Amino acid sequence: QMDPSDPRHKAIPLPYCNAYCLDAPNSSSRSSFGYPASTFQVVNREDGNLYCLRRFDNVKAVTPKIAETVMNQWAGLEHPGIATLHHCFVAQRAVFFVHRYIPGTQCLLDVTNPPTFDEPIIWSAVCQMVTIIRAVHGAGLALRTLDLRHTLVQVDAVRMRVYLNCLGVVDALEFETRKSIQHLQADDLRSFGRWVLSMVTGTNITASTDTQTLQNCERYCMQNYSRELRHFILTLIRSQNPPSIIDISRALSARLLDELDGTQLALQRTEKALAGEYESGRALRLLLKLGFINERPENGVNRRWSQSGDCYVLTLFRDYVFHQADGAGNPVMDLGHVVTALNKVDAADEEKIVLSSRDGKSMMVVSFADVARCLDSAYQDLCSGSVPPPALQHQGSGGPY
């Protein structure tokens, strides 16, 4: 978050706050779209979510009606590889675009300088972009922003995720440009070829790139990459009537299946990690319940609630789990014992254990299933007489009870 005295806070309209400037420190204020622009990470006060907000100044051709029209065009389009356009509006004599904020990403132009991608990674990025183009063209829209400057990536040791950014910006800034959707979609596919060649060479190639630079990049691709990749790029760049995205999907069917396999493997790894976190959450719930019950001096009129009935069993179980000692009275810090005991309570295991009071005068044999039943019973008893948090705050009580 920027310093509260930073004058750039004035450039952020409501309901957005907690702004952080995403522009590079020495970058030009003029954006790749030809207008002075600023980009911020912001929080929406209405829903509490993070967004990426772009402000374009000195734009006279965009009216509130145009902004609303563009927003409605893109509002229903959702895809995992798209930074979704959430809001487009005019305020403070500027045009604002609010897109989904994707944490942990980098601009592809920064990542590809110098180029370090192996061909399998490039084919993976190509397949991901094919699905993005197919979704956009299938909705009757055009990308119009496909180059390295507007592509975000997440790179890890296994794979690279590709996201397309700034969708809808050109639609608003060049709203009066009368081009058919077929013409714009054909331009997207030619831009797609230039985008792949840009990834290969580390040079951001656009429609205005000179012929000599384009030939040098094609020569580099010919020397370092396969004939299949080179043929794919040149077919898109040089065709007056490039193939449709459906035809491209059919031609890349084997590559797309490989990408699907990689996606499934990544999903399995994510599910495995999530399962581990879920299991940790189960132990935490047990600890929270024990914390609410143990050592509570009273519950309603019962002044010895935590030292009687089921609660007494839980007190002894707490000592069994956390307060073990050896024959000399030294504490035994065995994390494996703690985790095993909590897991057996969670599973209501029938294994028997011996619980003993601290003075050694009271002993009982119970199963982990008995402890689980006592815990549920005592916790439900406590919940039945609890005061809801809002009422507790209304009473102004500062104590824990």
Side-chain angles (χ1 to χ4, degrees):
Q1 184 175 342
M2 296 185 299
D3 188 273
S5 61
D6 195 314
R8 290 176 292 182
H9 280 293
K10 298 179 181 179
I12 308 300
L14 293 175
Y16 301 100
C17 62
N18 297 347
Y20 177 77
C21 185
L22 297 176
D23 297 322
N26 299 322
S27 63
S28 172
S29 62
R30 185 167 294 275
S31 70
S32 58
F33 298 101
Y35 293 94
S38 302
T39 307
F40 300 91
Q41 172 195 298
V42 296
V43 174
N44 189 330
R45 292 179 178 177
E46 296 176 351
D47 59 20
N49 293 328
L50 283 173
Y51 293 98
C52 178
L53 181 142
R54 287 179 178 80
R55 175 187 175 122
F56 290 86
D57 293 297
N58 301 335
V59 182
K60 299 179 180 179
V62 179
T63 64
K65 185 176 181 180
I66 291 176
E68 183 180 1
T69 300
V70 171
M71 186 178 68
N72 291 337
Q73 287 176 343
W74 289 94
L77 182 63
E78 292 188 4
H79 186 278
I82 289 176
T84 309
L85 177 64
H86 284 274
H87 199 192
C88 176
F89 61 97
V90 178
Q92 301 179 356
R93 299 182 179 180
V95 183
F96 293 88
F97 297 87
V98 181
H99 289 86
R100 175 169 70 109
Y101 179 74
I102 306 174
T105 55
Q106 296 175 271
C107 176
L108 185 54
L109 182 60
D110 299 331
V111 176
T112 56
N113 191 16
T116 57
F117 296 133
D118 295 331
E119 187 163 331
I121 295 179
I122 293 176
W123 279 118
S124 173
V126 167
C127 291
Q128 293 177 61
M129 189 57 67
V130 165
T131 67
I132 294 172
I133 298 174
R134 183 166 180 168
V136 173
H137 286 192
L141 299 168
L143 304 178
R144 308 182 71 178
T145 58
L146 185 52
D147 65 39
L148 299 188
R149 295 168 297 180
H150 306 137
T151 307
L152 303 175
V153 292
Q154 287 177 336
V155 183
D156 57 31
V158 179
R159 66 197 304 265
M160 181 174 72
R161 292 289 307 276
V162 176
Y163 304 90
L164 192 59
N165 201 9
C166 300
L167 293 175
V169 173
V170 179
D171 293 323
L173 299 182
E174 299 181 8
F175 188 81
E176 299 299 332
T177 303
R178 301 300 181 183
K179 292 183 179 179
S180 67
I181 190 62
Q182 292 77 15
H183 179 82
L184 295 176
Q185 290 181 351
D187 282 345
D188 281 347
L189 297 172
R190 283 187 283 269
S191 297
F192 184 27
R194 291 189 288 266
W195 180 83
V196 181
L197 187 59
S198 299
M199 282 192 64
V200 168
T201 61
T203 302
N204 190 37
I205 302 170
T206 65
S208 59
T209 300
D210 62 90
T211 304
Q212 184 61 44
T213 301
L214 188 60
Q215 290 176 349
N216 291 338
C217 291
E218 291 175 358
R219 190 177 303 112
Y220 178 86
C221 179
M222 184 182 304
Q223 295 171 350
N224 295 277
Y225 292 90
S226 67
R227 178 182 298 179
E228 181 186 4
L229 182 60
R230 183 174 71 252
H231 176 73
F232 177 78
I233 293 172
L234 297 181
T235 299
L236 293 176
I237 292 179
R238 294 180 177 178
S239 297
Q240 292 297 324
N241 296 307
S244 69
I245 192 60
I246 301 300
D247 295 332
I248 293 174
S249 300
R250 293 188 182 121
L252 295 178
S253 57
R255 299 282 183 181
L256 289 167
L257 289 174
D258 291 340
E259 183 64 18
L260 178 61
D261 291 341
T263 302
Q264 293 291 341
L265 288 174
L267 180 59
Q268 287 179 1
R269 287 191 292 268
T270 302
E271 290 176 342
K272 184 177 180 180
L274 182 61
E277 294 298 322
Y278 178 72
E279 292 301 323
S280 299
R282 296 168 69 93
L284 176 61
R285 285 196 298 273
L286 289 175
L287 291 174
L288 291 176
K289 289 181 179 180
L290 286 170
F292 276 120
I293 295 167
N294 287 330
E295 306 298 339
R296 181 175 288 272
E298 61 186 39
N299 180 22
V301 297
N302 189 349
R303 301 296 179 179
R304 293 182 52 81
W305 180 76
S306 64
Q307 297 298 320
S308 61
D310 293 339
C311 298
Y312 185 61
V313 175
L314 298 176
T315 299
L316 298 184
F317 178 74
R318 187 270 315 273
D319 290 344
Y320 167 81
V321 174
F322 295 104
H323 298 165
Q324 285 200 337
D326 62 11
N330 299 314
V332 176
M333 310 295 287
D334 187 353
L335 293 179
H337 167 72
V338 173
V339 173
T340 300
L342 292 176
N343 284 339
K344 288 182 178 180
V345 171
D346 184 56
D349 197 308
E350 293 294 339
E351 180 184 341
K352 303 288 185 179
I353 56 175
V354 178
L355 302 180
S356 173
S357 63
R358 296 181 180 181
D359 58 11
K361 295 181 179 180
S362 299
M363 298 183 68
M364 63 178 68
V365 178
V366 297
S367 67
F368 288 104
D370 295 330
V371 175
R373 179 189 55 77
C374 293
L375 181 61
D376 289 338
S377 175
Y379 186 71
Q380 291 298 328
D381 185 25
L382 197 60
C383 289
S384 64
S386 64
V387 179
L392 189 63
Q393 294 172 6
H394 180 72
Q395 293 171 7
S397 174
Y401 309 112

